[in-house]
Amino acid sequence: MSALYEAATQPRAVEAGAQRAKILVVDDEPKSLYAMQELLGVLGETLMVAPSGEEAVKLALKHDFAVILLDVRMPGIDGFETARLIRGRERSRLTPIIFLTAANDDNPSMFRGYEVGAVDYLLKPVVPEVLKSKVLVFVDLFRKGEQLRESQDKLRRLAAHLISVREEERAHIAREIHDELGQVLTGLKMEVTWLAKRLTDPALLEKTDTMCGLIDSTVQTVRKIATGLRPEMLDDMGLVAAVAWQAKEFQKRTGIRCRAKLPSESARPPHDVATTVFRIFQEILTNVARHSRATRVDLELELDDAELRLDVADNGVGIQENAVGGRKSLGLLGMQERALLFGGTVRVSGRPGEGTRVSVSIPTAKGAE
């Protein structure tokens, strides 16, 4: 007996801290269910049974299984129909299914089983060591997948925290620049103006005029920097007004005509969602200015109780298909990650010479519930 088979016959202890994987056995014969329980109980995982296809489908809707052992011939919903229903659900779409059958020469049934999503086909009576070995393979794959999903979830939570901290820091710096530095420059302008009123020397008056001009220019620069860090309009007037302002600024700066279709300014999504959508919109416009060579941008913002949708299309050169998921498309990846933190999506489509369209969809608080 091979080392793999020997390992499969021994009781297996689940690693400390590891969640037990769930295995589903579906068979209409009570004796077969009992035998499978005895056979697989030594694996140390959570074993669930279903006496019919209907019960199996119900369990697949409630649980995530590492593998499903499914009898082919059952009254009512047979194994093939059960597999099709299980595979048709999003939650169990990728769950491995091993068919068990007593028919040893039914090749058409075997082919049909693979067509409905079976990963393996075993004949009854099964060889215990073979069955255990196959089940262990899928259990280990399931556990590794769970670990990977947990790692991805931790990374996303960390990214969300870093984004939140960054926004708070930008807002704080913007307030400090606007309030502190702006106040100092305003005071300096008043002092220079006071001094100019008491001077009679034309050369000195010219100098004070130059100083006032420099102060005014510095004030405008300070406002521009503060607005770039965190637009006050986003906090004071909401997302709709901020998007309209950003579109006008983009048109003024680049000469690319922007046509906007926006909802009422009274429509206000949650603050963090508004910030996310605004930053995504800024990144979209940056990509348009850098890469599209467009002359027009059409944008539409929609907001209801369930969802916020932003659609931005340009008439530029169009994005290449391989650039959407390419390693260098960090801007697109950043937009997708921002939206994903709120359960949203960012879809990018386009064809060479026909422009690019970016569609953003993010659930609002009620939609997320």
Side-chain angles (χ1 to χ4, degrees):
M1 184 179 292
S2 69
L4 179 61
Y5 286 173
E6 289 177 1
T9 61
Q10 300 299 319
R12 196 174 78 144
V14 180
E15 296 180 7
Q19 185 178 1
R20 292 177 182 271
K22 295 178 180 178
I23 303 169
L24 176 62
V25 180
V26 188
D27 201 313
D28 64 310
E29 289 289 338
K31 291 182 180 179
S32 296
L33 286 179
Y34 178 77
M36 296 297 285
Q37 287 178 292
E38 291 295 312
L39 181 62
L40 300 176
V42 297
L43 300 182
E45 309 297 343
T46 300
L47 189 63
M48 304 181 73
V49 297
S52 66
E54 293 88 346
E55 289 296 321
V57 173
K58 291 179 182 178
L59 289 172
L61 290 174
K62 299 177 181 178
H63 304 276
D64 295 320
F65 292 105
V67 62
I68 297 176
L69 305 175
L70 182 58
D71 185 34
V72 171
R73 301 183 184 279
M74 294 185 295
I77 300 179
D78 65 9
F80 301 120
E81 182 64 15
T82 301
R84 188 186 66 79
L85 292 173
I86 290 175
R87 286 285 188 166
R89 269 64 173 183
E90 181 62 29
R91 178 167 188 164
S92 54
R93 182 172 57 88
L94 300 177
T95 302
I97 297 175
I98 298 177
F99 274 125
L100 305 175
T101 180
N104 55 11
D105 59 350
D106 195 357
N107 287 332
S109 293
M110 187 178 296
F111 295 145
R112 185 182 173 192
Y114 288 124
E115 286 177 355
V116 295
V119 297
D120 210 341
Y121 211 101
L122 298 180
L123 301 179
K124 294 181 180 180
V126 297
V127 179
E129 292 81 5
V130 172
L131 179 62
K132 290 177 185 177
S133 298
K134 290 179 180 293
V135 168
L136 283 177
V137 168
F138 291 113
V139 166
D140 289 338
L141 287 174
F142 176 81
R143 188 160 284 126
K144 287 182 173 62
E146 289 293 303
Q147 292 172 350
L148 179 60
R149 281 189 287 272
E150 184 179 348
S151 298
Q152 290 175 333
D153 184 59
K154 289 180 179 179
L155 288 173
R156 287 207 168 95
R157 290 203 302 269
L158 176 60
H161 174 70
L162 293 176
I163 289 173
S164 176
V165 169
R166 182 186 179 190
E167 288 294 337
E168 291 176 1
E169 289 179 346
R170 293 177 70 159
H172 175 72
I173 294 173
R175 284 194 299 268
E176 290 293 319
I177 290 176
H178 183 272
D179 296 342
E180 299 297 329
L181 191 54
Q183 185 176 356
V184 171
L185 289 171
T186 300
L188 184 60
K189 174 71 176 293
M190 293 173 63
E191 294 295 329
V192 172
T193 302
W194 180 89
L195 181 62
K197 291 179 179 179
R198 287 158 177 77
L199 294 176
T200 56
D201 189 331
L204 293 177
L205 286 172
E206 183 179 352
K207 285 292 184 182
T208 56
D209 288 342
T210 302
M211 292 172 65
C212 286
L214 288 173
I215 293 172
D216 290 338
S217 176
T218 305
V219 169
Q220 294 299 319
T221 302
V222 166
R223 288 177 178 172
K224 182 179 179 181
I225 293 173
T227 301
L229 288 170
R230 178 73 181 186
E232 287 185 344
M233 188 173 295
L234 181 60
D235 296 322
D236 297 339
M237 302 183 66
L239 176 64
V240 176
V243 168
W245 166 81
Q246 187 68 68
K248 290 179 181 179
E249 288 294 311
F250 175 78
Q251 179 171 303
K252 185 189 303 182
R253 186 176 70 253
T254 64
I256 300 175
R257 184 163 55 91
C258 286
R259 185 171 60 185
K261 183 179 179 181
L262 303 173
S264 168
E265 292 189 3
S266 60
R268 292 201 176 192
H271 182 266
D272 49 358
V273 173
T275 299
T276 295
V277 173
F278 183 74
R279 293 304 184 193
I280 291 175
F281 180 56
Q282 285 185 315
E283 183 64 32
I284 293 172
L285 294 183
T286 298
N287 288 337
V288 171
R290 288 178 178 175
H291 309 296
S292 72
R293 300 204 291 272
T295 59
R296 190 186 78 248
V297 172
D298 296 319
L299 70 97
E300 182 175 0
L301 180 66
E302 296 178 309
L303 177 63
D304 54 39
D305 290 340
E307 192 177 48
L308 185 152
R309 295 173 295 278
L310 174 67
D311 192 79
V312 183
D314 65 62
N315 65 342
V317 296
I319 190 169
Q320 297 289 340
E321 185 176 350
N322 58 359
V324 175
R327 294 183 178 181
K328 296 182 180 181
S329 56
L330 296 180
L332 298 179
L333 178 61
M335 290 190 291
Q336 291 168 343
E337 285 298 316
R338 278 182 178 270
L340 194 58
L341 293 174
F342 295 93
T345 59
V346 175
R347 294 185 177 87
V348 182
S349 60
R351 294 181 179 179
E354 297 183 12
T356 302
R357 180 179 298 274
V358 182
S359 300
V360 183
S361 175
I362 297 180
T364 57
K366 294 181 181 179
E369 291 173 5

